[in-house]
Amino acid sequence: MKNRKRNIQLIFAMLFLIFFDLSELSGQLHKGKNKSETTSNIAAGSEAWDMLFVRNEGWFGGDGIFGIPLDGKEFLPASDDTVTLFTFGDTMVGTHDGKKLANADYRMINNSIGLLKGGQSNSHQISFHYNLDDHGGPKSLFIPKTEHSKEGDYYWLGDGFVNNEGDGNLYIFAYPIQPKDTTGIGGFGFEQIGVHILKVPLEGDVPNFDKTEQIETPHFNIENQTSFGSAIYVNTKSAGAPDPDGYIYIYGVSNQNERKGLLVARVLSSDFLYFDKWRFWDGHQWLPHVKDAAFITWDVSNEMSVSPLPNGKILLVYQYFTMSDEVSTQIGTSLKGPFNERKTIYHVPKETWREHYFPYNSKAYPHLSTQDSILISYNVNSFDFFNDILNDPNLYRPRFINVAVRDVE
């Protein structure tokens, strides 16, 4: 019961943070809107990919969902042998009949992963992984154990990549979250306290999670929640990048004046863990201090994607203002911009929202897309989560859409 109560507190803390952003949304949508922005519902839902995450036993819900090809071929089409690792934040584990869920039949943990073989949506080719506690119940796969970690800290997961042109390890960004004794609106309190990186050795295409190293990074500002790992672009030949320069580009978000701006850093793949060698774009040049980083666009989501287009341009995909109903894109001339006006390619249907539901954190999957169509996901959650989940057990899962490449170029 204590674990269940604590998990309820954690997710309500998460929902409150998102709700706080939403309370600003109505006043900011027009304030932040670019007059040149275009809107068109040119994407369509993908039932096949949706159904991959509709499950009634074991893992049956989670958010986050970055997709990392474990062969490191970020921008090449997945083959039948490609294994994709999906990262999830808060995760639901239990059993239900697809219509109703009892409180005693599930547990929420803070992170998990999925492994999909091949480039197609195939429920027989995906497995989900988390740890088990001493009683055989589900437990988060990754729990903070660094020098500054405290009892009760937990991880939400960010983007990641396989460093084929570096040391060959899998790297995943992980955000340590710390419950607070002080309470705020809603009676709960927590905060992100850093940005960590998980270093996971690969044995073939199988991650050895038992040998994971947790590494604290210096690139975090608690005051404005400057946080890197919102998206990663592996600009290397082995990743299939069209114009490789050997750098890993790491994108982050930061809050300023009630808006969320996008930042970018880069580092050579061989120097990824040498944080003093990271360089931050200040609008004119790459500089060694994160405080010099300049915003390259605005009103993005905490999770997003950066990927190449066939015409040589760069595509951003994100949820406008993190959790509006608008899946948005921007086109850039380089990995640091400039980027053109925002374009809304999809409005999440109202029937998906329902009364308390909300979508958030859109992103694309280049290696699971085709030459002509881009696969994109968004998450769905509820402000009345612990009531709604009982009557809609599959609400808390990613949804997918496809958009034609020609429609975003």
Side-chain angles (χ1 to χ4, degrees), residues 186-259:
F188 305 104
F190 80 102
E191 64 181 356
Q192 181 182 340
I193 56 172
V195 174
H196 295 181
I197 292 174
L198 306 178
K199 178 182 178 182
V200 185
L202 292 175
E203 298 173 359
D205 58 6
V206 179
N208 189 334
F209 297 116
D210 292 335
K211 295 184 178 179
T212 299
E213 295 180 41
Q214 300 178 1
I215 302 163
E216 298 183 1
T217 82
H219 304 314
F220 175 72
N221 185 315
I222 196 168
E223 293 181 2
N224 53 22
Q225 290 289 292
T226 298
S227 184
F228 283 83
S230 299
I232 297 173
Y233 188 104
V234 184
N235 201 24
T236 65
K237 183 177 180 180
S238 62
D243 188 22
D245 60 10
Y247 283 91
I248 309 299
Y249 287 75
I250 308 106
Y251 293 81
V253 297
S254 184
N255 299 323
Q256 185 177 47
N257 298 327
E258 299 180 353
R259 298 179 71 185

Side-chain angles (χ1 to χ4, degrees), residues 88-108:
F88 299 98
D90 286 335
T91 297
M92 305 291 287
V93 182
T95 303
H96 62 86
D97 64 1
K99 298 178 181 179
K100 296 288 184 180
L101 175 68
N103 280 316
D105 291 337
Y106 75 91
R107 182 179 295 181
M108 176 180 287

Side-chain angles (χ1 to χ4, degrees), residues 4 160 173 177 193 306 313 354 378 380 387:
R4 172 61 57 81
F173 279 79
I177 309 297
I193 56 172
V306 183
K313 300 293 181 63
R354 299 194 184 180
Y378 61 90
V380 173
N387 285 319

